[in-house]
Amino acid sequence: MSGPQEPKGPQHGAAPPPKKRRFGKVATTVLVLGLAAGGTYGYRVYTGQNSDMPDVNDVSAESAKQQATLVDQEDTRIMQIRAKQESDLAGGGAEAAAARVPRLLTSANGRTLMLPQRRQPYYVAELAKLAGQDFQKQNDGSYLLGVNIMVAAGGKLILQSPTGPLTIRMRSIPGSFTSIVSAGGMVRVNGSAQNPVRFTSWNDDTHKPDTQVTDGRAYIRAIGGEFTMKYTQVSDLGFWSGRTGGVALTGSDRPDSAAEPTGVPAPQRAVRLPNGAIEPTRGNREEVEVSAAGGAGRGTSFFVPAANLVSGTIDHSTFTGDAYGLFVTASNQTQLTNNTIRNSLVHGVILHRFAKNAVIENTTVAGSRGDGFVLSRGTEGVRVANCTSEENGGNGFTLNGQPLAEGPSASGEAVTAFGGNLISSSVARGNRRYGVELLGGDNVAVQNSRIIGGDMGIVARGGATRVQISGNQVKDPERQGIVLRDGVRGGTVSGNVIVGAKTALYVRDAGSAITGNTVQSARRHGITLRGDVSGTTITGNTIGGAGTSVMDVDRATGKYADTGNNTKGWHKTAGFWTWVKRIFKPMNLIWAGVFLLVAISMFRSRGAALRIGRRGAHPYENQAKLEERPVQLLRRV
């Protein structure tokens, strides 16, 4: 009688059976992990639009320290050279005679060719004689500048070429770079459409422009005086600060250190002093009378300007790859027209403190890491017209009118807001942040402009007053179209057309008149009110789109008016589609796909080689039987 049959399986020493579907399981696992990682990465790219553009502050600590030190050294060099020049002129004698002719001044911070005051201008041909080997014509017709140039007050430097284009390459190598600086003088760069003037930094070791800013880079600057640039091509200049940022027009709200006698004594007049007393004097707001103590002798009048502002005109010029495209501060009536600024490392055009009554027209800024156009605190009476700002890493246009101080300050700055600035007939397209940002200020206007793309269209915040946003077209922002928030009061939003925003008009803790606007294809809300919106009036608007609600006012407080609005074109989507939009977000879809793949893998693995726990099968049916050997008794001999 035979014993029970042994389970079938491989005999001892036989090869195990092939593992089925092992490759399929590995492939499925790899696919799941790949989709999870790829989906997460894709979502981060989607939410962080244009993340490939370096940030303005993407600078290492070591590089920041080095560049800041170089800026400080440049300030010291300029201060030393100016002080020496003015001291020699004031001292008289042989030193004054030497200071009245061009000379070379050298210090630990570099060599500087000083061009003092004289009647005739300095031209390119004379620079070649004065600078010697430091300004010589190269084989390709360009000039290589190897020494710093400073134009003193009263001096005139004219850079032009009547016979052909003029190219000046400014030496910029590791540890050394050159500059052209006027200190109260006049600089004119006179190019033409046929014969433009070109400036670029130049590393004569690599025979290429200098694109590394860590060790400093060549730049052009006007300190006070007058600066004119026409039909000029500027590339790869500047580093770190605005005044060394490429082409900079800088003045001061303080008077120049020089005081000149008026020549003809002014008639004596009665001047009211701050305490109300009347003082007979020949002085006034820009003149000082100097007389001997004790009343002996007649006084002499000296002219002392109330401010050392710079004035300039830059027209039909291009600026590529500079740290700052154009930097202007402490200026009056600057004209920036028909220019193109591309790929600036910080901002495209920036008007800094006390830049007043400027005109910026027909100018395009593209590809800056920061904002396109910036009107920072202290600017007043600036008009920006027919300008384009596109594909910048920050805002298209930024107008900051906030006070320089909010209370007592060490410098005693004024606590009043700045304003009177205008953007009209301009375009902001595809900027990473906002199309236009109005940060504080009074009587600021954005009119008849087009805002396309970006995170938001036009944003007014920071306690701005009397803001006028009218006649603009805002299309396809990621979130809100026109935003009033954080204390904006007394403004007007009228006659705008807003297309394709999630929320077309957004008001939070602000109060303004919103009248006569047209909303099309809004995707969530036509108008949203939040917080204290006291004083807000919403009248005569036409609102179309599809979303949760045409007016989102559940979280609004304060008294507001809502009359005469046309909402017939609004389709409420609360219900199924609202649920779908809330559930089917990018990350939800990605992770749902991951879990679905895991579930499919578990289901498919039921037919694989793993048998433990499977019904109807012995858990050890695939195990090989050990060889049976008879038991032997070992006996002691």
Side-chain angles (χ1 to χ4, degrees):
M1 182 176 178
S2 60
Q5 294 184 352
E6 298 177 354
K8 296 180 179 181
Q11 300 298 319
H12 180 72
K19 298 179 179 179
K20 300 179 180 180
R21 302 183 183 178
R22 184 63 53 86
F23 175 78
K25 292 172 64 178
V26 172
T28 302
T29 303
V30 172
L31 179 61
V32 170
L33 296 176
L35 285 175
T40 303
Y41 173 77
Y43 180 72
R44 292 188 65 180
V45 172
Y46 170 78
T47 56
Q49 304 170 356
N50 299 327
S51 58
D52 56 332
M53 179 180 290
D55 189 77
V56 172
N57 297 318
D58 188 12
V59 181
S60 67
E62 181 180 356
S63 174
K65 182 178 180 180
Q66 183 174 352
Q67 293 187 66
T69 300
L70 290 171
V71 171
D72 184 63
Q73 291 176 354
E74 277 297 285
D75 290 341
T76 300
R77 178 184 67 84
I78 293 172
M79 179 187 67
Q80 290 175 340
I81 299 303
R82 294 183 68 183
K84 175 61 177 172
Q85 180 72 6
E86 294 173 1
S87 175
D88 288 350
L89 290 173
E95 291 184 346
R100 292 190 180 97
V101 296
R103 56 179 178 167
L104 188 67
L105 294 90
T106 304
S107 69
N109 295 317
R111 299 179 303 123
T112 304
L113 175 62
M114 171 61 72
L115 304 179
Q117 177 181 2
R118 74 177 192 185
R119 186 184 300 271
Q120 298 82 14
Y122 298 92
Y123 291 96
V124 173
E126 188 172 5
L127 282 183
K129 296 178 181 179
L130 295 173
Q133 295 298 320
D134 288 317
F135 190 74
Q136 290 299 312
K137 198 169 187 178
Q138 308 298 299
N139 294 331
D140 60 358
S142 65
Y143 288 86
L144 179 60
L145 177 63
V147 64
N148 296 303
I149 293 177
M150 178 175 287
V151 184
K156 305 177 185 68
L157 175 62
I158 298 179
L159 301 174
Q160 62 185 22
S161 176
T163 59
L166 170 64
T167 299
I168 298 178
R169 292 171 173 168
M170 304 175 67
R171 178 172 288 152
S172 186
I173 60 176
S176 176
F177 54 88
T178 57
S179 64
I180 299 175
V181 177
S182 65
M186 182 188 75
V187 175
R188 291 184 179 177
V189 184
N190 293 336
S192 64
Q194 295 76 24
N195 298 322
V197 178
R198 302 186 181 99
F199 290 96
T200 184
S201 60
W202 191 254
N203 187 330
D204 46 356
D205 293 332
T206 62
H207 303 287
K208 294 180 180 179
D210 183 8
T211 57
Q212 301 298 322
V213 298
T214 301
D215 53 0
R217 200 161 60 164
Y219 68 93
I220 299 172
R221 179 185 179 189
I223 306 174
E226 180 183 345
F227 185 90
T228 303
M229 176 179 281
K230 296 182 178 180
Y231 289 99
T232 303
Q233 301 170 10
V234 180
S235 64
D236 300 304
L237 295 185
F239 69 102
W240 194 246
S241 73
R243 56 187 179 275
T244 60
V247 175
L249 308 184
T250 63
S252 172
D253 62 334
R254 301 292 183 261
D256 199 312
S257 58
E260 300 178 359
T262 57
V264 179
Q268 194 174 63
R269 63 179 68 86
V271 175
R272 181 180 296 277
L273 301 181
N275 62 1
I278 303 298
E279 179 77 16
T281 179
R282 293 181 176 84
N284 56 36
R285 293 182 62 87
E286 294 187 344
E287 293 183 12
V288 175
E289 182 185 21
V290 180
S291 58
R298 185 173 181 178
T300 303
S301 296
F302 289 83
F303 175 77
V304 181
N308 184 27
L309 300 179
V310 65
S311 62
T313 300
I314 299 178
D315 180 61
H316 283 95
S317 297
T318 62
F319 304 83
T320 306
D322 293 355
Y324 288 84
L326 287 171
F327 180 84
V328 181
T329 182
S331 67
N332 188 33
Q333 297 182 347
T334 298
Q335 307 282 322
L336 307 178
T337 56
N338 306 299
N339 301 299
T340 300
I341 298 98
R342 297 187 181 278
N343 303 328
S344 300
L345 303 184
V346 190
H347 303 306
V349 175
I350 175 169
L351 272 61
H352 199 49
R353 304 286 175 84
F354 310 112
K356 301 180 180 181
N357 306 316
V359 174
I360 307 175
E361 290 183 342
N362 304 315
T363 293
T364 298
V365 176
S368 298
R369 293 186 184 181
D371 298 342
F373 295 79
V374 179
L375 276 58
S376 65
R377 294 185 297 175
T379 58
E380 292 182 299
V382 178
R383 182 169 64 90
V384 181
N386 298 305
C387 292
T388 299
S389 182
E390 57 187 359
E391 303 297 334
N392 298 292
N395 297 327
F397 300 85
T398 299
L399 279 64
N400 189 343
Q402 293 181 315
L404 296 176
E406 296 181 356
S409 60
S411 56
E413 300 292 352
V415 296
T416 56
F418 298 90
N421 300 317
L422 166 69
I423 297 176
S424 67
S425 305
S426 296
V427 177
R429 181 187 299 110
N431 298 287
R432 183 184 296 182
R433 196 163 179 258
Y434 307 153
V436 179
E437 182 176 22
L438 309 177
L439 186 58
D442 178 66
N443 192 24
V444 181
V446 182
Q447 299 175 349
N448 305 319
S449 297
R450 290 187 298 139
I451 316 298
I452 304 169
D455 182 41
M456 299 186 191
I458 302 174
V459 179
R461 64 187 186 91
T465 57
R466 296 194 298 166
V467 172
Q468 301 177 29
I469 302 174
S470 60
N472 303 288
Q473 299 178 19
V474 180
K475 185 177 180 180
D476 296 331
E478 286 295 323
R479 293 191 288 168
Q480 288 94 22
I482 296 178
V483 179
L484 306 176
R485 71 182 198 221
D486 306 335
V488 174
R489 297 292 173 184
T492 301
V493 179
S494 62
N496 303 283
V497 178
I498 307 166
V499 181
K502 287 184 179 179
T503 299
L505 294 160
Y506 182 93
V507 181
R508 186 185 74 192
D509 294 321
S512 297
I514 301 176
T515 61
N517 301 284
T518 300
V519 175
Q520 300 174 359
S521 303
R523 305 192 302 274
R524 181 172 296 171
H525 305 292
I527 299 176
T528 293
L529 304 181
R530 289 188 181 182
D532 183 6
V533 294
S534 301
T536 297
T537 58
I538 305 171
T539 58
N541 302 283
T542 301
I543 304 174
T548 306
S549 61
V550 63
M551 293 277 290
D552 176 22
V553 297
D554 294 340
R555 286 168 284 184
T557 61
K559 187 176 181 180
Y560 63 91
D562 170 20
T563 59
N565 298 293
N566 182 2
T567 61
K568 294 181 179 179
W570 186 263
H571 302 282
K572 189 175 181 180
T573 59
F576 175 75
W577 285 113
T578 301
W579 178 85
V580 169
K581 291 180 180 180
R582 290 175 179 175
I583 296 300
F584 288 96
K585 295 181 179 180
M587 281 303 297
N588 293 345
L589 293 176
I590 291 170
W591 285 110
V594 171
F595 291 132
L596 179 62
L597 286 173
V598 172
I600 292 173
S601 300
M602 294 174 61
F603 179 78
R604 293 183 60 199
S605 67
R606 295 179 60 192
L610 186 62
R611 300 285 182 170
I612 297 177
R614 182 177 175 184
R615 292 184 177 181
H618 193 279
Y620 305 113
E621 66 178 355
N622 289 332
Q623 302 299 319
K625 183 178 180 181
L626 294 176
E627 180 182 357
E628 294 185 2
R629 296 183 179 180
V631 179
Q632 295 182 0
L633 179 62
L634 300 178
R635 299 179 181 274
R636 183 181 300 272
V637 178

